[in-house]
Amino acid sequence: QVQLVESGGGLVQAGGTLRLSCVASGTFSSILAMGWYRQFPGKQRELVAVITSGGSTNYADSVKGRFTISRDNAKNTVYLEMNSLKPEDTAVYYCYAEIVAGYRGQYWGQGTQVTVSS
């Protein structure tokens, strides 16, 4: 059973910083891409940032220059450093990973709330 467990969400003032973490656990042979999505109330989940196993990254235009995604392959962990947070960043953030566990599958964390006050 593969699981993704997130941590690091919370309440922060505009301009502040939060760091999200997501650890993959269970039995698997490799982790391919890892990333973060977010979901606003009443909206579909949208990509925030993704990082490949080789370290290539891609960001949503709305977070470029403010957010940084990184990963520690030895710890099966992906991070999202969020700087200069804005009230419009308020959302539920979900960790995502493509993991090979007998087959290539897509896995999601449970979500963590990020609230940015003005």
Side-chain angles (χ1 to χ4, degrees):
Q1 183 82 10
V2 177
Q3 283 189 317
L4 299 180
V5 178
E6 301 136 341
S7 60
L11 173 65
V12 66
Q13 287 189 331
T17 296
L18 280 176
R19 188 189 195 209
L20 305 182
S21 301
C22 173
V23 181
S25 63
T27 302
F28 48 85
S29 56
S30 62
I31 302 176
L32 306 176
M34 301 185 83
W36 294 91
Y37 283 68
R38 64 186 180 186
Q39 189 166 21
F40 303 109
K43 302 291 187 180
Q44 288 193 329
R45 210 169 286 187
E46 64 178 37
L47 175 70
V48 176
V50 64
I51 184 168
T52 68
S53 56
S56 298
T57 59
N58 192 34
Y59 295 91
D61 287 343
S62 59
V63 306
K64 283 181 181 176
R66 300 188 298 123
F67 292 10
T68 302
I69 189 170
S70 61
R71 63 191 283 174
D72 185 333
N73 292 328
K75 295 181 179 180
N76 298 325
T77 301
V78 63
Y79 305 97
L80 185 68
E81 180 87 10
M82 304 184 292
N83 298 310
S84 302
L85 281 161
K86 304 175 181 179
E88 51 263 43
D89 293 317
T90 296
V92 178
Y93 285 70
Y94 294 90
C95 174
Y96 160 86
E98 292 182 4
I99 295 175
V100 180
Y103 62 92
R104 180 172 174 170
Q106 297 180 347
Y107 297 86
W108 294 90
Q110 78 283 3
T112 185
Q113 177 70 46
V114 171
T115 302
V116 184
S117 63
S118 57

